[in-house]
Amino acid sequence: MAAPALERPTATAGTQTVTIAKALNMGLRASLERDPKVLVMGEDVGKLGGVFRITDGLQKDFGEHRVLDTPLAESGIIGTAIGLAIRGYRPVCEIQFDGFIFPGFDQIVSQLAKLHFRSQGKVRMPVVVRVPFGGGIGAVEHHSESPESLFAHISGLKVVSCSNPVDAYWMLQQAIDCDDPVLFFEPKRRYYEKAELDPTTPPIPLFNSRVVRAGSAVTVAAYGPMVRTCLDAATAAAEDGLELEVIDLRSLSPLDLDPVFDSVRRTGRLVLVSEAPAESSVTSEIASRVQQECFYSLEAPVLRATGFDTPYPPSKLEEGYLPDLDRVLDVVDRSLAY
Amino acid sequence: MAAPALERPTATAGTQTVTIAKALNMGLRASLERDPKVLVMGEDVGKLGGVFRITDGLQKDFGEHRVLDTPLAESGIIGTAIGLAIRGYRPVCEIQFDGFIFPGFDQIVSQLAKLHFRSQGKVRMPVVVRVPFGGGIGAVEHHSESPESLFAHISGLKVVSCSNPVDAYWMLQQAIDCDDPVLFFEPKRRYYEKAELDPTTPPIPLFNSRVVRAGSAVTVAAYGPMVRTCLDAATAAAEDGLELEVIDLRSLSPLDLDPVFDSVRRTGRLVLVSEAPAESSVTSEIASRVQQECFYSLEAPVLRATGFDTPYPPSKLEEGYLPDLDRVLDVVDRSLAY
Amino acid sequence: MSPEQWTRSGTSSATEGAAGPPAATAAKPTREQVIAGLRATSEGGADLVQLLTPEGQRVTHPDFDIDISAAQLRDLYRDMVLVRRADREANALQRQGQLGIWVPLLGQEAAQIGAGRAMQPQDMAFPSYREHGVAWCRGIDPTELLGIFRGTDHGSWDPNTTRFHLYTIVIGNQCLNAAGYAMGQRFDGKVGDPDGEATVVFFGDGATSQGDVHEAMVWSAVYDAPVVFFCQNNQWAISEPLERQTRVPLYRRASGYGFPGIRVDGNDVLASLAVTRWALDECRQGNGPVLIEAFTYRMDAHTTSDDPTRYRLADEQEAWKLKDPIERLRVHLIREKFAGQDFFDGIDAEADELAARLREFCFNMPEPPPARMFSEVYAEETAQLAAQREEYLRYLAGFVDDEAMAGGVR
Amino acid sequence: MSPEQWTRSGTSSATEGAAGPPAATAAKPTREQVIAGLRATSEGGADLVQLLTPEGQRVTHPDFDIDISAAQLRDLYRDMVLVRRADREANALQRQGQLGIWVPLLGQEAAQIGAGRAMQPQDMAFPSYREHGVAWCRGIDPTELLGIFRGTDHGSWDPNTTRFHLYTIVIGNQCLNAAGYAMGQRFDGKVGDPDGEATVVFFGDGATSQGDVHEAMVWSAVYDAPVVFFCQNNQWAISEPLERQTRVPLYRRASGYGFPGIRVDGNDVLASLAVTRWALDECRQGNGPVLIEAFTYRMDAHTTSDDPTRYRLADEQEAWKLKDPIERLRVHLIREKFAGQDFFDGIDAEADELAARLREFCFNMPEPPPARMFSEVYAEETAQLAAQREEYLRYLAGFVDDEAMAGGVR
Ligand SMILES: Cc1ncc(C[n+]2csc(CCOP(=O)(O)OP(=O)(O)O)c2C)c(N)n1
Ligand SMILES: Cc1ncc(C[n+]2csc(CCOP(=O)(O)OP(=O)(O)O)c2C)c(N)n1
Ligand SMILES: [Mg+2]
Ligand SMILES: [Mg+2]
């Protein structure tokens, strides 16, 4: 059975309801169309369209030299993408699941992150590494991890995560347009969440965070799959008369914390939410920076609702492992108790 | 020229003056003697005794099956060490330099850290990965990095760093005795610093931090090579009448923060010092935990003196990159200014 | 289960046994298929070691012949039928929502049972994630596999007592772990005589591209490690045909490392047994490592989440059905009068029982307790983690209290 | 520089030219040496491609012969002498504390100049960290190499215009980068005719164990990438002899991937040139990849930080001195009357000039400005990093103020 043909989005396509998965596909398609140097590469991204079908139909329309089914090795995917970038291409690599990025870690850290610096700017690394990440899908081991903090710690990389279809569409294209290497974390459990997308409305800058719900009681900041959870928590809290301000961080490195600082100066309280273990993570960094910048404004310490400091558990336990609405509200309560 | 024979330390050897490098060698020797299952493996650890001579003389005395010159591949070193551990061995792997641990990252994260958990405790992973780390030695690229935070973020690993010969001797043996995988970070720029070692004095537990200088004005916490820097800073500060309390963290995961909390409750001020870039790091984590635990005691935000968020620079620039006495005191001053 | 039951819809026009077009013709990819990237082939080539033809004919081989009794042949048949049945049942359980995912071994029974039965109790196996047949041979009951796929655990058996390591999902990792283990066998003095120990590591055609597999071969060669690299070339790595990983047959990799590489008919349980036994003996004696490429075919989807109709043609499967590993042994047993209808009926009944037991077990699997995720992270638990567990349990208890107060049930 | 100058102490009893014991005998490791792990050999074996013997005799080869003029031979000689001189001078500069470290190429001049001169301007090279000879051929002045070893930069040349990538220290990384680059050459339509483009990647014998090198070979084979894998087997990876990485000659790896592998005498500049030119042409035409193992010897320490007396015997070096790449070409030029004393004197004078210039340059290298470490981390700088730079500069300025006030000089 052939892959269903995708409508080609154009600037005049008008608003349509799309999932995050579809929006990513549209974003890739738009980039492939706009710039002949853009390549898509990874395991099963061709005929299959990727295990999540994010690259569905792209090989058919752009050919095997633009959309490459690679051999099965992540160091190879990243390492050859680097070579292609040196040659002037803009490769977009797909890592099939979060847990499989580690064989490619060395090339990411030692070459991808450093080549621009090493060459004093003479070599550019416009490479995007797409990583479907996070849990909540009932998968087996290595398919539900949240390794983003590791990359946020590596200087020379940029790390972003989208949380909704509109951002998915734009942020991916912006990442591809960026002349620096971008780790692009996709909230796989939210792939099928829908929203209205109007491709004619211009996006906000890639590396900006954004207040996605205004509130005055407690600031809650999250990224990727946890933004939805926080919004749901905010809705629930509002029913109890508690207005949470929710910030979608969007960029994890560089962090755009000014909106967080502003918010915390108003609310005096911050709760950080992520699926990743807390230890030495992006949420640690944000807590550290906020306690420094907002020292005199904080009425409670910065608190976190995160995955535990354990390996990702068997999926029957993931409901307990992952922060959910209740856990977020529990931490919000603890913040308010100060 | 044959390697100089090392005196075999015994419980009755009495006190001797040794370098960190020598203490590590003695610690390895003691472990190899005590337990026939202990293996030493890595690139050039045999006849050469390692590029830093930490394994000097060991292959000669324990043979090629106890001290293995491995093929040149870090995934291979870690991956086969895991297999040897499954077989009942206790491998001690040497990674030649910090920057070369990344090809082994996948095996560390996917297997070494997880096998005990995956097997519900049936498989133990008593593997030590020794990593000479940090800068300040005028080396070329990839030879001066501080990747410890990446491992602190990975659940299932334990991460420690020694700062002096006595700890080097004991902590390495304790790490080898530990039934969990331990990343053992050695402060290579301090390898030749000396101290008195009395092998009959029992050590403190491996995963404990320790106050190495008492003071009341500001708490300064560091690990590995920066402990010396902080002690020097404390000496300098004392000349100006300012008493810094210096804590050697020793264990980065798990963190032993009770001594830090106690100290901060007294001083109200904390400065964290490390060579690693600050972003999403161990120092972020400590700041995050301290602001939470000591919320009402802090008179200033937790501040940090760290490497910058750049790739490690060419060595002519490292003096500026690495926190030194002046930088530490500058941040101490900033803390006191609150 | 006969070949026509392979396809989930009953509508396929499966060709029975040795009838229909000769396998070679049906299997040779057409020009169009090649262009379309549908290039998997059923041609093992001249180097293929075979002892039992697809038509059930016993043939000889100059290097790898084997003496085997009728009883042993029947046992191999039983093994294959039972593991196939367990596989199909688990697949069905997934379809019914009882498992999150299943990884079918359909079509690879001969490769796995041959290799598994070649092993001695003292040998060690490192599987990938599809080795249900090898698990069977190592005495792991199929019920013990379910936890992984239901999400209750990451492997419930004891790798030490069964000498069957946990399933490894990160492609290639286990090859290095196996090389290390085999080095240990050697260091322990267990190599060098006929009763020595050896290790077998299982991996796929796709896996051969991973650096870890290479490093494992380098290590094993350099340390003379007693390890058999058993590559099941089932022609596909999810949607990618073999040609995305190599230009030449995979068994040839071995020569670049200086040890033997053999391509065996992976649908021929006798050949798989004979070649693996030989390879293990070589390793036991200290002449390892050895690479075996078992030339076979993944008859079902990659996993239950996969849709192979997107990337491969039904023709190809049809061609491979003619090479069914079970069918050829059944024909052989009948032709040689090594087994009668009673025997076949008995095995079928046993298979039914096994399936029923598996099903029953699956339905009754307990959920793991919530605190389990904090257990066995470390051999020596950290205070940090203990505190997290306590806090989490307190948090959970809070709900119970709330509910108790509200009189509700969570 | 003649072979006896190789050892830093003048006390060695170097055997001159073709006199002394025949190389094969001297080089064959004794039983004791083998047991002691000192197993490097100077025997290239029957498959070694050679066009110029250690005694300077021109020999023919059925597959890889080459037409070369006297002028071209003199050029090759000049290249080798000059890069050796630059290498020795840099080594001396390190001894004098002017460089933090130096990585000597001594002994590998023929392998590198042969390969480097086989390249066309449109070809791309990916070096490891010892390829000073290849750099020379790509038009990189030896002075441009010094920054890396003095610690002022990580490579000062422009990889785009020189078509010589930055030095890569993490063993094996560059092989995948080269494979990707070569894929790009193919995608750009630059492959398939005699004027096409190709890539050469340089790595060592130790590097062959790394997964990345394997993956690079897999990728290149699968994508028909026009890349020549040029392995300088200098017998040692720091202290580890070849036998710690492989059982069989490294050129044989290629057959496992389905492309040609050739072992060339790496101390024979003609053979290195001929084989590399052939391999590049194959790649250009679309018949890549090709693996070349240049069989050579690291005559000096691994780096200036290394002490090879700890792990290898002087005998071994002595044996290899008889195979000196420069000496054999010098003898050949003289014997064939392709060059007279004037020529040799001229080259020596040129070498002296080069050494003086290198020295002069090194002494006058400026320190990089402190803010440099913040530059070019990103193509699009982040506010976070800009803030760090500003803060750091303010911090530095504070010292200047302090000193100004104190009237001191920092
Ligand atoms: C390092 C890594 N990358 C990607 C995956 C995702 N993945 C799972 S199975 C598979 C294909 C494996 O093919 P092969 O090795 O031929 O084994 P088969 O499944 O055919 O038995 C892939 C890409 C993985 N598990 N690990
Ligand atoms: C990934 C990695 N591991 C370890 C090192 C340290 N190291 C530098 S050179 C070297 C030996 C390399 O040997 P070989 O590949 O034969 O090249 P040669 O130096 O002989 O030219 C080692 C182990 C490194 N640079 N990179
Ligand atoms: Mg396969
Ligand atoms: Mg070498």
Side-chain angles (χ1 to χ4, degrees), chain A residues 92-112:
Chain A
V92 184
C93 304
E94 174 171 305
I95 298 295
Q96 203 160 78
F97 282 89
D98 32 63
F100 308 140
I101 198 166
F102 302 118
F105 201 73
D106 177 44
Q107 284 281 353
I108 294 174
V109 171
S110 302
Q111 302 304 333
L112 187 64

Side-chain angles (χ1 to χ4, degrees), chain A residues 75-76 87 89 118 158 180, chain D residues 167 188 197 212 215 379-380:
Chain A
S75 192
R87 181 73 191 179
Y89 285 88
R118 298 180 62 210
K158 292 176 174 176
D180 293 307
Chain D
Y167 276 7
D188 286 348
E197 289 187 29
D212 272 14
E215 295 182 17
E380 302 164 20

Side-chain angles (χ1 to χ4, degrees), chain D residues 6 49-54 75-84 105-118 130 132-134 136-137 202 230-232 264-276 292 294-297 299 320 323-330:
Chain D
W6 273 344
V49 177
Q50 195 178 68
L51 297 179
L52 197 61
T53 69
D75 284 350
L76 292 172
Y77 179 82
R78 173 178 173 271
D79 285 339
M80 292 198 290
V81 171
L82 293 184
V83 300
R84 177 174 290 182
L105 68 48
L106 194 73
Q108 301 179 214
E109 297 85 356
Q112 293 190 18
I113 296 297
R117 288 303 176 201
R130 201 185 293 283
H132 320 318
V134 184
W136 171 264
C137 298
F202 295 89
F230 195 97
C231 175
Q232 285 169 84
V264 66
D265 184 341
N267 285 14
D268 170 356
V269 69
L270 290 195
S272 177
L273 175 70
V275 170
T276 311
I292 298 173
F295 194 80
T296 182
Y297 192 75
M299 290 301 301
W320 276 93
K323 296 173 180 250
D324 182 43
I326 298 185
E327 190 57 19
R328 72 171 80 176
L329 185 51
R330 197 176 67 85

Side-chain angles (χ1 to χ4, degrees), chain A residues 37 39 41 65 68-80 82-84 86-87 89 106-107 110-111 113 115-124 154-158 177-180 207 253-255 289, chain D residues 124 126 153-160 163 165-170 172-174 176-181 183-188 190 197 212 215 218-219 222-223 372-382 384:
Chain A
K37 289 297 185 189
L39 304 178
M41 53 196 286
H65 279 185
L68 285 72
D69 271 330
T70 65
L72 204 178
E74 287 73 11
S75 192
I77 294 171
I78 308 290
T80 56
I82 290 167
L84 283 158
I86 296 171
R87 181 73 191 179
Y89 285 88
D106 177 44
Q107 284 281 353
S110 302
Q111 302 304 333
L115 263 167
H116 190 258
F117 184 74
R118 298 180 62 210
S119 69
Q120 294 174 57
K122 296 187 197 79
V123 176
R124 301 212 150 178
I154 300 298
S155 308
L157 300 177
K158 292 176 174 176
D177 286 348
C178 177
D179 272 343
D180 293 307
F207 300 107
S253 181
L255 282 162
R289 305 251 293 261
Chain D
M124 179 73 184
F126 282 80
D153 58 53
H154 292 326
S156 63
W157 61 91
D158 184 339
N160 306 306
R163 303 215 171 204
H165 188 63
L166 292 187
Y167 276 7
T168 298
I169 292 178
V170 183
N173 278 182
Q174 77 277 14
L176 274 168
N177 306 156
Y181 189 93
M183 284 163 64
Q185 290 176 316
R186 189 174 195 104
F187 296 167
D188 286 348
K190 302 295 188 189
E197 289 187 29
D212 272 14
E215 295 182 17
V218 168
W219 247 261
V222 163
Y223 288 102
R372 162 71 60 79
M373 70 184 139
F374 297 99
S375 312
E376 286 117 11
V377 175
Y378 299 102
E380 302 164 20
E381 187 176 63
T382 66
Q384 179 175 319

Side-chain angles (χ1 to χ4, degrees), chain A residues 42-65:
Chain A
E43 296 154 9
D44 306 292
V45 298
K47 205 165 304 280
L48 185 63
V51 293
F52 291 108
R53 308 294 185 266
I54 304 300
T55 57
D56 194 22
L58 300 179
Q59 188 181 66
K60 188 159 159 281
D61 291 346
F62 295 94
E64 292 204 359
H65 279 185

Side-chain angles (χ1 to χ4, degrees), chain D residues 30-100:
Chain D
T30 64
R31 210 184 115 72
E32 289 64 39
Q33 288 168 7
V34 169
I35 288 165
L38 298 161
R39 289 177 288 194
T41 174
S42 62
E43 305 274 22
D47 292 336
L48 194 75
V49 177
Q50 195 178 68
L51 297 179
L52 197 61
T53 69
E55 295 75 29
Q57 203 98 43
R58 186 74 160 77
V59 292
T60 58
H61 189 279
D63 302 320
F64 299 105
D65 222 25
I66 194 173
D67 252 344
I68 196 158
S69 68
Q72 286 169 317
L73 284 173
R74 285 192 301 267
D75 284 350
L76 292 172
Y77 179 82
R78 173 178 173 271
D79 285 339
M80 292 198 290
V81 171
L82 293 184
V83 300
R84 177 174 290 182
R85 183 55 173 270
D87 178 70
R88 294 296 84 194
E89 193 61 35
N91 210 69
L93 284 166
Q94 194 282 335
R95 296 279 169 230
Q96 293 154 32
Q98 291 296 320
L99 301 178

